[in-house]
Amino acid sequence: MKDREHIAQALAASGYIADSELATAIALMQRLRRPLLLEGEAGVGKTEVAKALASVHATELIRLQCYEGLDQSSALYEWNYQRQLLAIEAHRGHADTIEDQIFSEKYLLERPLLAAIRRDKPPVLLIDEIDRADDEFEAFLLELLSDFQVSIPELGTIRAVSIPHVVLTSNGTRELSDALRRRCLYHYVDYPDVEREARIIMARINGASASLSLQIARMVEGIRKEELRKVPGVAETLDWAAALVGLDVRDLHDAPETVHETLMCLLKTQEDKVRISREVSERILGKVA
Amino acid sequence: MSCCGTAPDFEEMNEVSRLVSGKLAAFLRTLRDNGFAVGLAEGQDAASLMASGYAAKPGLLRSAFKHLFSARRSDWQKFDGLFDAFWLGKRVRSRSLAAGSTKAANNPSLKTIQDGAQPGGSQSASDQVPSSEDAPSSRGGEGRMEGASRAENLAEVDFRKLADPEQIAQAHEAAAQLARIMRTRLTRRDLARRRGYRLDLRRTIHRNISHGGVPISLVKRQRKDKPLRLIVLLDASGSMSMYTSVFLRFIHGVLDEFREAEAFLFHTRLAHVSGAMKEKDAARALDRLSLLAQGAGGGTKIGESLQTFNRWHAARVIHSRSVVMIVSDGYETGDADLLGREMAALAKRCRRIVWLNPMMAWEGYAPEARGIKAALPHIDLYAPANTLKSLTALEPYLARL
């Protein structure tokens, strides 16, 4: 209980405006030692959660960006082949001693997963967009996340020095396996409500007044309700807010022209741009108090 | 169900905690009934959470349990209702689908559709092999018909003429088997094509240590082939009713056997049915589906259903090696232009669109329906699928993708 309030405060102090449930999720993560799986639309701030978590724990953030074809050698470890070849050349003729030498720590390149379990202070391990990796990698990850040990054939088994705080994010481009889902705590990150979004804008954009932030948040909410192909996320809102502040807009109603022209920060496809015509943007602006 | 009784924090079990753990076990059962994947470990964690003060406030406990027990967005959304209903005694709108599935056996919607075999119609059904270029040539040689041949006599009978239950069961069996054969053939083909294209430095060096590091025997690396993904959109409207049950069975087989397949059902709206279809037992799967297929017979809004698919599901289920298979007669009761637009959008996304139209084999059928006319330009293969044979003939086409 204490830890939960403590975490909520620490998150706020680090500049991440969390909803109340997220603080619970992070407290549970610590207590139950389970990874946290974050799902949600692109641009709702899933990755930011990991960054905030790292600053709450005042620890390092190690990030593994997943992509199709990601394999162990770029996720876990790799041997430094150039150096190995050099060493082999340099010690030509001592074939029996060379093998021990070139498969030692000195020639080992740490990749994110190995790095994460070898730190003295538990880092935050962010496994970003896990849905982009292949099934096989997911299965491998599952094993790593339950045992926290890695075996390197040439070196032997490496056990975790500390258990990292693991955060996984997914955009839902692929269905994840049930096993992985069950292993993790689940949190669905939704678009923030108006009030929270306004607070996020205020926290992130220098020079955004409370009233302007609220107006921007309301306007964005109105736009999200339109039938759009790509609904703007929090990142887009922040871009837009920065643009408006940069153009010295104090009140949206004073500059409907600028508002419409800067909507390009929010609308990322031609179709959406056509849909939010001048009339539509004025209508939405009209509803913003 | 004593999964929480063994939790480490429960060493001094008094009466109260026994009551609580009993209640918790019942809650876990409720969750499982509603399709949550909850295991022993989750039960223990839940018990330890309750013991450590999370049970003090219902809101807090709900939030904690929600994170622990949910595994996907649908779970996330229905959890609050379930929690409130169980612990706080509030009424929840309705129990979810999965809970009532076993009773659905006497549901008249889909299972009994088979009785609708109609007399009359054409004799010509038997000579309809897909009109596409690849079908005839691939029949010989490879001995891949072993499954279908068991039901040889059925192979050429139009599905809607199957009347006696035994025949229907046979056809279902054959459809499932067909799916199985398609799967093995497609995978084998994948393996045979593999050849390295890039050096695997790690293995090369390791292998050549004995040569003093001179790379003599090279180890190659191969690109991993993406397995073909099949996405089936099945029209469950009234006009298709004679065919739906066989196709459902086929889809069940496909989902079971393909590593990657997704199934959707549509009539006036679209339903994602992969979950229900993954039920091992075919009969139970069909039962569960009959619930989802409510509304069968009320016209077909293919365009709108496709729009829903494109908007909400396409990004997730379609990748570069995906085939979308639409099984429908193309009788669009909604907006045909919308159908055309959505088909164009879909065609941009996936590798091939196969449209199976059981009516195509009927004598004198021409694609007159407005819907099919709008859709035709975007379809890669337009084939009849009214007999097992015509279904089998599809497989070589898929294998070449």
Side-chain angles (χ1 to χ4, degrees):
Chain A
M1 309 315 344
K2 289 261 169 51
D3 45 355
R4 186 177 154 274
E5 281 146 30
H6 170 74
I7 283 168
Q9 283 167 6
L11 276 178
S14 75
Y16 186 88
I17 315 290
D19 58 9
S20 61
E21 291 198 322
L22 187 64
T24 314
I26 290 174
L28 286 187
M29 225 178 129
Q30 270 178 317
R31 176 174 287 277
L32 302 177
R33 300 209 159 267
R34 282 174 185 253
L36 176 65
L37 172 63
L38 298 171
E39 273 194 322
E41 299 290 316
V44 289
K46 296 188 292 293
T47 310
E48 290 302 313
V49 174
K51 290 184 186 159
L53 188 60
S55 82
V56 165
H57 292 302
T59 181
E60 188 186 359
L61 173 69
I62 297 178
R63 177 173 176 166
L64 174 67
Q65 171 69 45
C66 295
Y67 53 85
E68 209 175 313
L70 175 70
D71 56 0
Q72 286 198 25
S73 64
S74 39
L76 191 58
Y77 71 94
E78 181 71 301
W79 293 103
N80 191 340
Y81 300 119
Q82 284 83 354
R83 286 189 71 174
Q84 283 181 328
L85 281 174
L86 267 176
I88 292 169
E89 283 297 315
H91 297 82
R92 190 165 279 286
H94 311 282
D96 38 346
T97 53
I98 192 82
E99 181 171 354
D100 292 338
Q101 216 180 76
I102 63 171
F103 289 113
S104 60
E105 286 280 332
K106 199 172 142 198
Y107 296 88
L108 189 68
L109 295 175
E110 263 182 1
R111 300 289 193 226
L113 291 181
L114 184 61
I117 63 167
R118 297 220 295 176
R119 295 285 186 270
D120 291 328
K121 182 168 188 188
V124 172
L125 172 62
L126 168 64
I127 301 173
D128 219 354
E129 304 191 330
I130 173 71
D131 50 329
R132 287 185 194 277
D134 315 304
D135 302 344
E136 290 81 359
F137 184 75
E138 199 183 303
F140 161 73
L141 197 63
L142 196 66
E143 192 193 327
L144 181 76
L145 291 184
S146 52
D147 294 349
F148 287 107
Q149 65 176 31
V150 169
S151 85
I152 299 178
E154 298 88 349
L155 273 185
T157 303
I158 296 184
R159 273 173 222 291
V161 179
S162 60
I163 306 285
H165 311 276
V166 184
V167 177
L168 300 104
T169 73
S170 162
N171 276 333
T173 59
R174 177 172 68 82
E175 201 42 54
L176 298 177
S177 76
D178 284 342
L180 185 70
R181 285 180 183 280
R182 234 189 55 202
R183 182 85 196 92
C184 299
L185 297 171
Y186 180 88
H187 183 84
Y188 187 80
V189 188
D190 217 334
Y191 292 111
D193 54 25
V194 170
E195 192 219 350
R196 190 155 82 86
E197 192 154 30
R199 276 164 56 209
I200 295 173
I201 297 171
M202 271 170 34
R204 287 300 177 92
I205 306 293
N206 281 335
S209 67
S211 64
L212 179 69
S213 303
L214 200 58
Q215 279 186 332
I216 293 175
R218 290 223 171 97
M219 180 89 187
V220 171
E221 196 203 21
I223 290 174
R224 283 196 189 124
K225 281 190 185 135
E226 298 292 313
E227 284 271 302
L228 293 181
R229 193 143 282 245
K230 172 77 192 73
V231 180
V234 180
E236 277 86 8
T237 311
L238 290 177
D239 280 352
W240 191 46
L244 290 174
V245 169
L247 291 170
D248 213 18
V249 176
R250 299 281 159 83
D251 186 316
L252 294 190
H253 293 289
D254 294 346
E257 201 65 12
T258 322
V259 166
H260 183 74
E261 277 160 14
T262 49
L263 278 184
M264 67 176 87
C265 299
L266 296 177
L267 307 172
K268 299 293 175 70
T269 71
Q270 174 62 21
E271 214 173 301
D272 291 349
K273 229 170 249 175
V274 173
R275 186 156 296 182
I276 308 289
S277 60
R278 199 162 290 267
E279 292 75 37
V280 177
S281 78
E282 269 161 25
R283 174 170 59 78
I284 299 173
L285 185 56
K287 284 189 198 153
V288 173
Chain B
M1 278 306 137
S2 63
C3 37
C4 37
T6 52
D9 297 70
F10 272 56
E11 280 142 359
E12 39 183 36
M13 268 267 231
N14 54 28
E15 195 56 27
V16 179
S17 68
R18 194 170 297 130
L19 268 177
V20 169
S21 68
K23 186 105 199 232
L24 180 59
F27 181 56
L28 296 187
R29 216 172 303 130
T30 311
L31 286 181
R32 287 199 194 100
D33 283 347
N34 281 283
F36 283 70
V38 181
L40 279 179
E42 284 73 27
Q44 291 192 355
D45 280 349
S48 80
L49 283 183
M50 287 180 87
S52 62
Y54 274 86
K57 270 191 277 173
L60 191 58
L61 187 66
R62 175 170 57 211
S63 164
F65 276 10
K66 189 174 179 182
H67 287 102
L68 183 60
F69 291 132
S70 302
R72 46 173 49 82
R73 191 173 170 212
S74 55
D75 294 351
W76 182 259
Q77 282 163 342
K78 70 185 173 195
F79 187 88
D80 285 350
L82 286 171
F83 185 92
D84 289 352
F86 188 90
W87 295 97
L88 308 177
K90 287 182 192 154
R91 301 278 302 165
V92 67
R93 282 155 298 151
S94 66
R95 282 294 276 278
S96 313
L97 283 180
S101 62
T102 39
K103 275 278 111 203
N106 3 358
N107 187 314
S109 51
L110 274 180
K111 272 204 90 187
T112 47
I113 278 167
Q114 317 154 340
D115 313 332
Q118 285 172 2
S122 62
Q123 300 303 309
S124 70
S126 56
D127 56 41
Q128 297 291 335
V129 181
S131 43
S132 67
E133 57 294 354
D134 45 65
S137 61
S138 55
R139 270 215 63 164
E142 294 173 277
R144 65 190 165 75
M145 299 285 286
E146 61 260 64
S149 67
R150 255 188 26 181
E152 186 103 51
N153 51 338
L154 277 175
E156 309 197 354
V157 182
D158 195 300
F159 293 144
R160 80 200 141 101
K161 298 211 185 96
L162 297 175
D164 112 68
E166 203 158 299
Q167 272 193 322
I168 293 170
Q170 250 179 305
H172 280 191
E173 195 49 50
Q177 185 130 5
L178 188 58
R180 205 144 45 228
I181 297 167
M182 280 164 97
R183 141 99 180 144
T184 41
R185 256 257 304 190
L186 295 180
T187 11
R188 226 180 282 145
R189 207 161 251 243
D190 244 352
L191 284 175
R193 208 177 35 225
R194 287 186 172 185
R195 197 173 293 145
Y197 74 111
R198 195 156 62 122
L199 268 182
D200 187 336
L201 265 179
R202 170 194 292 198
R203 299 214 163 76
T204 303
I205 288 185
H206 205 139
R207 181 176 296 180
N208 288 293
I209 289 169
S210 50
H211 307 302
V214 182
I216 292 174
S217 66
L218 300 180
V219 183
K220 292 277 184 63
R221 223 164 155 166
Q222 47 214 324
R223 188 204 308 266
K224 221 191 66 190
D225 270 316
K226 268 192 198 170
L228 184 73
R229 182 180 289 177
L230 198 58
I231 294 134
V232 190
L233 297 162
L234 176 64
D235 184 343
S237 62
S239 51
M240 286 282 294
S241 58
M242 278 117 44
Y243 296 100
T244 21
S245 67
V246 182
F247 277 111
L248 277 177
R249 187 59 199 262
F250 174 68
I251 293 173
H252 181 260
V254 162
L255 283 186
D256 206 27
E257 298 298 333
F258 273 66
R259 245 181 70 208
E260 304 204 345
E262 296 286 339
F264 295 84
L265 209 64
F266 67 94
H267 29 86
T268 48
R269 59 206 160 74
L270 184 84
H272 186 194
V273 297
S274 298
M277 279 292 201
K278 288 206 168 120
E279 188 85 54
K280 271 277 174 230
D281 179 34
R284 272 194 68 181
L286 291 194
D287 288 347
R288 282 183 71 172
L289 276 179
S290 54
L291 289 171
L292 292 171
Q294 277 159 5
T300 332
K301 293 194 176 135
I302 312 178
E304 263 178 49
S305 301
L306 276 181
Q307 192 175 31
T308 321
F309 175 76
N310 281 337
R311 189 169 164 79
W312 297 111
H313 302 284
R316 185 167 48 84
V317 300
I318 293 186
H319 64 30
S320 57
R321 231 170 93 77
S322 299
V323 176
V324 175
M325 187 188 272
I326 302 174
V327 185
S328 167
D329 51 16
Y331 283 116
E332 166 72 289
T333 53
D335 180 4
D337 295 337
L338 177 68
L339 174 60
R341 276 201 305 280
E342 292 303 325
M343 282 299 286
L346 186 60
K348 273 188 211 150
R349 245 195 164 117
C350 62
R351 173 78 62 112
R352 292 275 191 285
I353 299 183
V354 178
W355 188 303
L356 301 182
N357 186 348
M359 314 276 175
M360 202 173 141
W362 292 12
E363 203 170 307
Y365 174 85
E368 292 292 340
R370 277 185 314 142
I372 196 71
K373 265 191 174 162
L376 263 180
H378 309 289
I379 297 174
D380 298 289
L381 174 69
Y382 183 51
N386 59 324
T387 63
L388 286 174
K389 193 175 162 191
S390 54
L391 213 51
T392 319
L394 278 175
E395 184 261 335
Y397 177 82
L398 293 178
R400 283 187 330 173
L401 295 178

